[in-house]
């Protein structure tokens, strides 16, 4: 349990879930530092101190973490929220597009973890929340690389939790379903277009956009994160009602049922 007054570092804090979480935690009495690429362009939020951080750059991450520790003396909670998305057929995805995605969603988390763990180990206390997705345990047609990055994040997080537990540090996977954020709405599409996939891809994109339009706002995920940091440790934390249902189905429903349900959800023929 991490109570009010704890020092929090949130990556990708300028928009979406990161911004909502920074506001919620500051309002709840936590000392919040928001990692953003351009601090001068970040909105002024009461109780949130912004630090320059590009999770794609080792030096930038180390500098941001050192700045927080110099100002606050420690880091109690890290929320790895920075992420990017990519939509398109796996076959159409270039090496460069795949590497750029993984550089943020997986290696970005790795950079932050490497930077914060020495201090947490020394203090024998720490909590790292990695913002995953239901696509970290489910497939997603035409979001294969994004889903792969979240599957990788889940494997990394589970393994890391075993390694750092003896130092009083725990890892949590926060697994939202679709959320009304720019990340989901404005996902980058692969540059290569393959006509054979065009119809199915268009149906999938339309189905996803419809689900996003009725999805919970990022504030709901922020509320869940507050509950997580205040409560007892649990590795996997579905962040909303839809995520809880999908977690249950993945564990207990027959494969064929889950497969058909996913295809319907993404606008594909069963």
């Amino acid at each position: 349990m991490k109570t009010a007054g704890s020092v929090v570092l949130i990556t990708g804090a300028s928009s979406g879930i990161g911004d909502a979480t920074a506001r919620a935690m500051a309002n709840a009495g936590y000392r919040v530092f928001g990692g953003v690429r351009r601090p001068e362009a970040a909105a002024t939020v009461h109780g949130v101190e912004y630090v320059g951080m590009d999770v794609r750059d080792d030096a930038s991450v180390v500098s941001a973490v050192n700045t927080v520790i110099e100002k606050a003396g420690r880091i109690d909670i890290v929320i790895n929220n920075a992420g990017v998305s990519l939509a398109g057929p796996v076959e159409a995805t270039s090496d460069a597009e795949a590497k750029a995605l993984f550089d943020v969603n997986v290696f970005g988390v790795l950079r932050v973890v490497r930077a914060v763990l020495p201090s947490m180990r020394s203090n024998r206390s720490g909590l790292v929340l990695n913002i995953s997705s239901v696509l970290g345990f489910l497939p997603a047609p035409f979001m294969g690389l994004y889903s792969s990055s979240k599957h990788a994040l889940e494997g990394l997080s589970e393994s890391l939790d075993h390694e750092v537990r003896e130092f009083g540090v725990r890892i949590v996977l926060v697994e939202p379903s679709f959320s009304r954020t720019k990340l989901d709405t404005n996902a980058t599409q692969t540059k290569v277009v393959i006509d054979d996939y065009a119809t199915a891809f268009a149906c999938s994109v339309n189905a996803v956009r419809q689900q996003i339009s009725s999805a919970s706002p990022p504030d709901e995920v922020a509320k869940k994160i507050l509950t997580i940091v205040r409560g007892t440790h649990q590795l996997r934390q579905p962040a909303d009602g839809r995520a809880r249902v999908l977690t249950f189905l993945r564990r207990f429903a027959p494969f064929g049922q889950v497969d058909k349900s996913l295809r319907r959800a993404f606008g594909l023929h069963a």
Side-chain angles (χ1 to χ4, degrees):
M1 178 184 292
K2 298 296 181 183
T3 57
S6 298
V7 179
V8 186
L9 172 61
I10 305 172
T11 71
S14 62
S15 63
I17 292 172
D19 174 63
T21 302
R23 293 170 186 269
M25 297 199 78
N27 289 338
Y30 292 82
R31 184 170 183 186
V32 179
F33 290 87
V36 294
R37 281 187 286 176
R38 297 175 57 216
E40 71 280 1
T44 301
V45 177
H46 178 71
V48 180
E49 301 172 63
Y50 292 100
V51 294
M53 174 189 272
D54 185 341
V55 299
R56 300 170 299 179
D57 181 80
D58 286 344
S60 174
V61 170
V62 170
S63 175
V65 168
N66 287 342
T67 296
V68 174
I69 293 174
E70 287 169 6
K71 288 185 174 183
R74 67 189 191 278
I75 297 176
D76 300 304
I77 305 167
V78 169
I79 301 174
N80 281 308
N81 166 75
V84 294
S85 189
L86 178 68
V90 169
E91 182 184 347
T93 307
S94 69
D95 287 354
E97 288 169 330
K99 289 175 181 177
L101 181 77
F102 270 72
D103 197 28
V104 175
N105 292 4
V106 180
F107 289 100
V109 173
L110 179 59
R111 292 181 184 103
V112 174
V113 163
R114 282 199 306 252
V116 301
L117 278 181
S119 173
M120 288 184 170
R121 283 191 289 103
S122 177
N123 294 332
R124 290 300 192 263
S125 177
L127 181 64
V128 178
L129 278 68
N130 292 332
I131 307 301
S132 181
S133 165
V134 295
L135 301 188
F137 59 84
L138 288 168
F142 302 109
M143 295 184 71
L145 270 297
Y146 178 80
S147 181
S148 297
S149 73
K150 294 302 184 180
H151 275 67
L153 178 62
E154 300 234 341
L156 184 152
S157 299
E158 281 198 72
S159 299
L160 181 62
D161 185 61
H162 285 285
E163 296 173 6
V164 299
R165 196 176 303 179
E166 66 180 284
F167 307 117
V169 181
R170 299 307 300 266
I171 313 299
V172 175
L173 284 160
V174 183
E175 299 170 325
S177 61
F178 290 113
S179 182
R180 289 206 307 271
T181 67
K182 293 180 180 179
L183 176 68
D184 287 333
T185 304
N186 301 327
T188 301
Q189 296 187 5
T190 55
K191 291 181 180 179
V192 172
V193 175
I194 300 176
D195 290 341
D196 281 350
Y197 294 110
T199 299
F201 181 41
C203 289
S204 180
V205 169
N206 184 56
V208 168
R209 286 176 176 166
Q210 288 180 353
Q211 292 182 66
I212 292 171
S213 67
S214 61
S216 301
D219 307 73
E220 294 302 312
V221 180
K223 291 177 184 177
K224 177 63 176 180
I225 289 172
L226 263 177
T227 301
I228 292 169
V229 301
R230 289 167 168 169
T232 57
H233 178 266
Q234 180 180 323
L235 176 67
R236 279 191 167 79
Q237 294 275 7
D240 52 64
R242 185 181 297 180
R244 285 191 291 274
V245 170
L246 290 171
T247 298
F248 179 85
L249 290 174
R250 183 61 163 175
R251 290 183 62 187
F252 299 111
F255 172 81
Q257 180 181 340
V258 175
D259 185 76
K260 289 179 181 179
S261 176
L262 277 168
R263 290 186 66 81
R264 285 195 300 270
F266 282 90
L268 305 181
H269 296 300

